[in-house]
Amino acid sequence: MSYTILIVEDDMKIAELLGSHIERYGHRAVVAKDFGQILQQFQSLKPHLVLMDINLPSFDGYYWCRQIRTVSTCPIIFLSARSGEMDQVMAIENGGDDYMTKPFHYEVVMAKIRSQLRRAYGDYAASTEERVIEREGLALHLEKMELRLGSRSVELTKKETVLMEALLLSFGKLVGRETLLEKLWDDYAYVDDNALSVNVTRLRKKLSDLGIQDALETVRGTGYRLNPSWLGDAK
């Protein structure tokens, strides 16, 4: 199947080489031209995947990734000359699915692209019908990336949604840190361990916004467990 890939890269030589490799595999590659209108280009093109540089004119890649996440959950792979751990954490925290450091091998980029396309649109991709996981009145709407309890609801980021899904599917049971890292990131060996803790902290804040306290339990050095503390609060 042929997919459309948007390349947001201001180095035209790199962008053209990426486009050439992508098209060699039968996909359509579109290079962004107006770096002040990335969201508008995205909405017009409706690509299946985005390759996103960080250092861009007008606004950086983190900003545009956040903007895209308001309208789409399509895979976004960051490509950057920045190699610091915090740059990778920032990319992931702002909605990215993967991160590659320049200079890179184009075949490795293609492997990453194929992996993300399989996950998002392949045989094992989620159904287009809305999926809801509900435990003791707490409902996670996966496609909407929304968590609901009674009349209250909060929006989640993509990572928070994946994390919440894992915890709800193992409701009341311990979910190990490595299991969560593997679900959140393809190549978690290169992800700062603090990145998981940051996501857990943010998820706790979202639960708090629903009026839920002390539900997300940390089992020190092992993992996390979701307990139905909100049932006690309702009594």
Side-chain angles (χ1 to χ4, degrees):
M1 181 176 177
S2 178
Y3 295 97
T4 299
I5 296 169
L6 176 62
I7 302 171
V8 185
E9 166 63 70
D10 63 339
D11 185 322
M12 286 300 108
K13 183 176 180 180
I14 292 177
E16 289 170 5
L17 284 170
L18 282 168
S20 175
H21 276 76
I22 289 167
E23 291 179 349
R24 190 179 301 169
Y25 282 85
H27 303 304
R28 178 190 179 200
V30 178
V31 178
K33 300 297 184 183
D34 186 346
F35 294 99
Q37 302 289 327
I38 297 300
L39 182 60
Q40 290 86 336
Q41 292 175 69
F42 176 89
Q43 291 179 300
S44 175
L45 183 63
K46 293 181 172 56
H48 297 93
L49 182 144
V50 178
L51 295 177
M52 180 76 71
D53 191 13
I54 294 178
N55 293 326
L56 297 168
S58 301
F59 300 97
D60 64 21
Y62 300 142
Y63 172 83
W64 289 121
C65 187
R66 292 196 302 274
Q67 296 303 302
I68 290 171
R69 282 290 172 253
T70 65
V71 298
S72 174
T73 59
C74 88
I76 299 176
I77 301 176
F78 276 95
L79 307 173
S80 177
R82 301 183 186 182
S83 59
E85 289 182 352
M86 282 311 300
D87 294 310
Q88 298 182 47
V89 171
M90 283 286 291
I92 291 165
E93 292 304 316
N94 279 279
D97 294 281
D98 208 338
Y99 189 102
M100 292 196 67
T101 304
K102 300 175 185 177
F104 44 71
H105 293 288
Y106 288 92
E107 289 304 319
V108 176
V109 177
M110 286 308 307
K112 295 274 191 180
I113 289 173
R114 289 195 298 272
S115 173
Q116 291 295 334
L117 290 174
R118 282 195 303 270
R119 173 173 292 186
Y121 312 107
D123 293 337
Y124 300 105
S127 167
T128 54
E129 296 181 3
E130 183 182 12
R131 295 174 297 144
V132 180
I133 301 173
E134 189 269 337
R135 299 289 185 273
E136 300 291 354
L138 183 64
L140 174 65
H141 295 253
L142 289 153
E143 276 67 47
K144 292 180 180 178
M145 295 193 295
E146 184 179 74
L147 192 62
R148 295 179 184 174
L149 180 66
S151 61
R152 295 185 179 183
S153 67
V154 291
E155 293 183 0
L156 305 180
T157 65
K158 186 172 183 178
K159 297 298 184 189
E160 289 166 355
T161 301
V162 172
L163 178 57
M164 195 69 209
E165 179 183 12
L167 291 165
L168 282 171
L169 288 175
S170 298
F171 190 61
K173 299 178 182 178
L174 176 70
V175 184
R177 290 183 65 87
E178 285 200 3
T179 297
L180 294 174
L181 285 166
E182 187 175 357
K183 287 181 179 295
L184 289 166
W185 296 284
D186 278 338
D187 198 354
Y188 69 87
Y190 297 99
V191 175
D192 187 334
D193 191 56
N194 186 54
L196 176 57
S197 299
V198 169
N199 276 279
V200 169
T201 298
R202 290 181 175 179
L203 186 55
R204 282 200 178 103
K205 174 61 169 60
K206 298 293 178 68
L207 288 167
S208 177
D209 291 342
L210 290 176
I212 298 173
Q213 305 294 334
D214 304 320
L216 186 43
E217 175 190 355
T218 300
V219 181
R220 188 173 298 278
T222 306
Y224 300 91
R225 180 188 294 115
L226 186 67
N227 297 310
S229 66
W230 57 93
L231 294 180
D233 294 338
K235 294 178 181 178

